[in-house]
Amino acid sequence: MAEQLEVKELDHVVVRFSGDSGDGMQLAGNIFSTVSATVGNGISTFPDYPADIRAPQGSLTGVSGFQVHIGAGRVYTPGDQCDVLVAMNAAALKTQLKYAKPQATIIIDTNSFGPNDLKKAQFQTDDYLGELGVDPDRVIQCPLTQMVKDCLADSGLDNKSVLKCRNMFALGLVCWLFNRDLELVNNFLREKFAKKPAIAENNIKVVQAGYDYGHNTHSSVPATYRIESKEKVAGRYMDITGNKATAYGLIAAAERAGLRLFLGSYPITPATDILHELSKHKSCGVITVQCEDEISGAASAVGAAFAGALAATSTSGPGICLKSEALNLAVIDELPLVVIDVQRGGPSTGLPTKSEQTDLLQVLYGRNGESPMPVIAALSPTDCFDAAYEAAKIALEHLTPVVLLTDAFIANGSSAWKLPVLSELPAIQPHYVTPEQKDNYTPYERDEETKVRYWAIPGQEGYTHILGGLEKDGRTGAISTDPENHDQMCRLRAEKVARIPVPDLQVQGDADDADLLIVGFGSTYGHLYSAMDELRSRGHKVALAQFRHINPLPKNTADVLLKYKQVVVAEQNLGQLAAYLRSKVDGFTPVQYNEVKGQPFVVSELVKAVAPLLASPEGEE
């Protein structure tokens, strides 16, 4: 019987699964993170896909990674570097080692480090560990492929199908290392492969084999580890990606508003999963149309909005360019439409599987004419639900298209999410026509306080009207080229957006007396919060203001930005938020921290860059 190892308790750990893009690293990582969320751990994940459609097997450009940060409390980022690195082949070890801590445990499949594998990964010698400067004592060298073949020798599966199970052996070994309950893994697999039970059972068998390998050999580690949740809040939880949370937010908003949900979309990385997810929910009254191109996706959604649905269209940066003409139609017609932009690396095709924040100015200004739209930026995978719900609420109550900015990092990444109670979500009250307007209705009658027009659905007797892309008379709704009328209508559309109430900008950290304010927007929240936390732990006075509402800006924006001695605006572009804020706040002159790498910020690099702006804490030399 194997000797019992010590079980050490940890506050947090980062695990990175890596291998060829066909090795199932995303699935293994997703299962491990789901199991961790199920037991109440905080999680943050980062799927790192190769940009190639299908790079040659074993090549350096074809490596796919999945990083998950698991904590006893709330987790804000996927972590700068991992404590455990799973490398399924030579290319994965070579490209992913830079993401591992110097003392990290590394798990490799020795069967995938043969002469041909080493050649593809451009190693110069057979001593690949020595070439990389890796201490062999921290490497679990496992003949993983051969063990999977032995495990499934009697399964009847062909060789290709057997090799597809290698990821489950690695998952089992990691589950052993962190004392995970395999029954949770088994339940996941049986649910995922419900229509193929034989596949599920073979995968379960391999997971158990990986777990047993670790248990029986102790796999060169002095202890196994457990992460206990510090604060457990009652409720139902799930591990959810940002794209799925966005889809759920739209469904909830439609249900709360009593409307059908319509999505007109064209598949584009990294937004396609929203279309895929919504297409599964016809039972909730969801209508999805996969259109032939981007503009037809947006145009079909405009038509659905005119017909009285909660309409949405999803895309990424290139699609926003192509949809712009149809989005302008929604602006001039003043129809409710949610426009989801899952940002990716550009320009052009750029880095389609990587993440940036480079569409900000495009969604603010990238249309012809005076074409104002509200813009909301989600802060995290779970916040995508709330942001999508709020975008729908604004669209329906203020009769305007609304842009929801997410990006590849939070759209593909995941966090533990507590399922909300639908009845506890904010009420949504579309701005419909009133009975008093019957037989006298014109489409651009407005509420005097909000400047929102009244929404009449086609087919309502007594509310006949025409909308279109030509400018209309604000009183009659008839086509008008009158210069004074056009000027007035442009101002009214802008004023309507400006009057949308949004929450004040919140300041976290040393809000009252910070020497430095860090400013960001959207998905960088976790990294900027962690950087602030680290600087405060060193004795510095630092605060953070993260923008979620970008148009209109919170009313206290100028007061916050001008309050502090120094302000640094950190964003994953070359300064778009900083430029926008300078244009809106007189006298605002921030320091800028900009990266366009297609990767999330690294907290340690943020801290290193920002620290020189701060004086040494009292008592330090």
Side-chain angles (χ1 to χ4, degrees):
M1 182 174 171
E3 178 187 348
Q4 188 68 36
L5 282 182
E6 178 187 1
V7 179
K8 294 184 177 180
E9 199 148 308
L10 300 177
D11 282 334
H12 62 92
V13 71
V14 179
V15 180
R16 188 176 183 95
F17 296 85
S18 63
D20 198 76
S21 57
D23 284 342
M25 294 296 93
Q26 308 300 324
L27 177 59
N30 181 250
I31 294 174
F32 187 65
S33 58
T34 297
V35 168
S36 301
T38 301
V39 298
N41 292 148
I43 66 166
S44 176
T45 72
F46 173 49
D48 193 8
Y49 301 99
D52 306 53
I53 292 176
R54 186 64 177 91
Q57 190 169 9
S59 65
L60 296 174
T61 58
V63 175
S64 178
F66 186 103
Q67 186 160 305
V68 55
H69 186 180
I70 302 164
R74 184 174 177 184
V75 172
Y76 290 93
T77 77
D80 286 358
Q81 292 181 301
C82 63
D83 301 283
V84 176
L85 172 63
V86 177
M88 298 294 282
N89 61 18
L93 179 63
K94 189 166 191 178
T95 60
Q96 305 299 296
L97 184 63
K98 62 187 176 183
Y99 300 116
K101 295 176 181 176
Q103 70 276 19
T105 297
I106 301 172
I107 300 170
I108 66 171
D109 176 9
T110 53
N111 296 135
S112 297
F113 282 77
N116 194 41
D117 302 305
L118 296 176
K119 182 179 179 181
K120 287 180 181 178
Q122 300 177 19
F123 279 99
Q124 303 303 311
T125 67
D126 292 339
D127 180 17
Y128 49 87
L129 295 181
E131 198 171 316
L132 295 174
V134 176
D135 180 359
D137 289 342
R138 64 187 180 99
V139 181
I140 299 174
Q141 302 187 53
C142 171
L144 193 152
T145 298
Q146 187 57 51
M147 297 194 75
V148 172
K149 288 181 178 179
D150 293 343
C151 177
L152 297 178
D154 300 326
S155 66
L157 294 176
D158 59 49
N159 188 59
K160 184 177 180 181
S161 298
V162 168
L163 293 179
K164 284 184 177 180
C165 299
R166 294 165 63 242
N167 58 336
M168 292 296 103
F169 192 98
L171 173 63
L173 185 50
V174 172
C175 286
W176 165 78
L177 189 60
F178 293 103
N179 280 272
R180 290 304 184 216
D181 183 356
L182 288 194
E183 194 56 37
L184 296 173
V185 178
N186 298 346
N187 291 340
F188 183 103
L189 289 169
R190 288 189 176 114
E191 183 177 342
K192 180 174 179 61
F193 297 108
K195 295 181 180 179
K196 299 178 180 178
I199 299 269
E201 295 309 315
N202 283 321
N203 276 286
I204 288 169
K205 187 177 180 181
V206 174
V207 171
Q208 185 68 56
Y211 190 96
D212 291 343
Y213 177 84
H215 178 72
N216 294 332
T217 66
H218 290 176
S219 293
S220 308
V221 297
T224 60
Y225 305 94
R226 180 171 55 231
I227 302 169
E228 290 287 355
S229 300
K230 290 181 179 177
E231 299 178 8
K232 294 187 177 180
V233 179
R236 296 179 63 191
Y237 288 81
M238 66 181 290
D239 173 29
I240 196 168
T241 65
N243 274 340
K244 181 175 281 192
T246 299
Y248 286 3
L250 294 175
I251 293 171
E255 181 74 19
R256 200 80 167 94
L259 298 174
R260 299 288 296 274
L261 172 61
F262 176 95
L263 179 79
S265 186
Y266 178 77
I268 182 172
T269 302
T272 308
D273 284 341
I274 297 170
L275 172 61
H276 289 168
E277 183 60 38
L278 287 176
S279 68
K280 301 174 185 177
H281 298 285
K282 292 180 182 177
S283 62
C284 297
V286 178
I287 301 168
T288 54
V289 177
Q290 179 177 322
C291 297
E292 66 271 21
D293 52 40
E294 292 284 1
I295 192 169
S296 60
S300 67
V302 172
F306 178 67
L310 169 54
T313 186
S314 55
T315 189
S316 189
I320 291 290
C321 298
L322 297 167
K323 291 180 189 291
S324 63
E325 185 176 357
L327 301 185
N328 253 3
L329 179 61
V331 170
I332 198 167
D333 286 351
E334 299 187 51
L335 287 168
L337 174 66
V338 178
V339 183
I340 304 155
D341 179 4
V342 186
Q343 300 168 94
R344 72 187 205 187
S348 188
T349 307
L351 305 173
T353 62
K354 307 302 181 182
S355 187
E356 288 178 4
Q357 294 184 302
T358 44
D359 294 348
L360 178 61
L361 293 182
Q362 179 180 211
V363 297
L364 285 168
Y365 300 118
R367 295 168 296 280
N368 68 293
E370 292 294 337
S371 187
M373 283 190 196
V375 177
I376 298 173
L379 306 182
S380 68
T382 55
D383 186 52
C384 286
F385 175 89
D386 298 311
Y389 187 93
E390 184 177 5
K393 178 177 170 67
I394 290 173
L396 291 168
E397 294 184 343
H398 295 270
L399 281 251
T400 178
V402 179
V403 176
L404 170 58
L405 284 176
T406 70
D407 55 45
F409 168 56
I410 58 172
N412 292 324
S414 64
S415 295
W417 181 57
K418 182 183 176 185
L419 275 66
V421 177
L422 186 64
S423 61
E424 295 176 359
L425 295 173
I428 297 179
Q429 299 171 326
H431 199 250
Y432 290 126
V433 290
T434 65
E436 291 76 23
Q437 294 169 293
K438 188 175 182 180
D439 297 323
N440 294 305
Y441 173 72
T442 60
Y444 294 106
E445 292 179 52
R446 298 179 186 274
D447 181 293
E448 282 304 313
E449 184 178 346
T450 63
K451 302 303 179 185
V452 179
R453 78 175 189 90
Y454 293 90
W455 192 18
I457 309 303
Q460 288 182 279
E461 186 178 350
Y463 299 96
T464 303
H465 64 287
I466 297 173
L467 298 177
L470 291 170
E471 185 65 275
K472 304 296 192 299
D473 185 283
R475 293 174 295 102
T476 66
I479 293 172
S480 171
T481 58
D482 178 67
E484 297 301 325
N485 176 76
H486 179 57
D487 182 84
Q488 181 186 39
M489 293 295 280
C490 286
R491 293 177 187 275
L492 283 170
R493 288 188 287 264
E495 186 178 354
K496 177 183 73 172
V497 171
R499 290 194 182 196
I500 294 171
V502 299
D504 278 351
L505 181 62
Q506 298 299 308
V507 181
Q508 295 177 281
D510 298 301
D512 295 327
D513 57 351
D515 296 317
L516 174 70
L517 176 69
I518 301 173
V519 172
F521 77 96
S523 67
T524 58
Y525 170 71
H527 295 83
L528 299 186
Y529 184 93
S530 299
M532 176 195 72
D533 219 24
E534 173 63 23
L535 289 165
R536 293 181 72 208
S537 73
R538 299 181 184 185
H540 296 294
K541 295 282 190 180
V542 184
L544 169 67
Q546 191 79 3
F547 281 92
R548 190 167 180 272
H549 297 88
I550 299 173
N551 189 36
L553 287 166
K555 292 187 183 302
N556 67 332
T557 295
D559 293 338
V560 169
L561 297 183
L562 299 176
K563 176 180 177 180
Y564 299 94
K565 301 174 188 175
Q566 294 191 91
V567 180
V568 58
V569 178
E571 47 188 320
Q572 291 181 308
N573 55 47
L574 295 180
Q576 296 184 25
L577 178 65
Y580 177 65
L581 293 176
R582 280 196 297 267
S583 74
K584 296 292 184 179
V585 180
D586 290 341
F588 180 55
T589 55
V591 175
Q592 291 181 212
Y593 180 85
N594 302 110
E595 283 187 359
V596 199
K597 298 180 178 180
Q599 296 285 333
F601 282 141
V602 176
V603 174
S604 59
E605 292 178 1
L606 277 167
V607 170
K608 184 178 179 181
V610 170
L613 300 174
L614 294 158
S616 297
E618 284 188 41
E620 287 191 12
E621 292 282 328

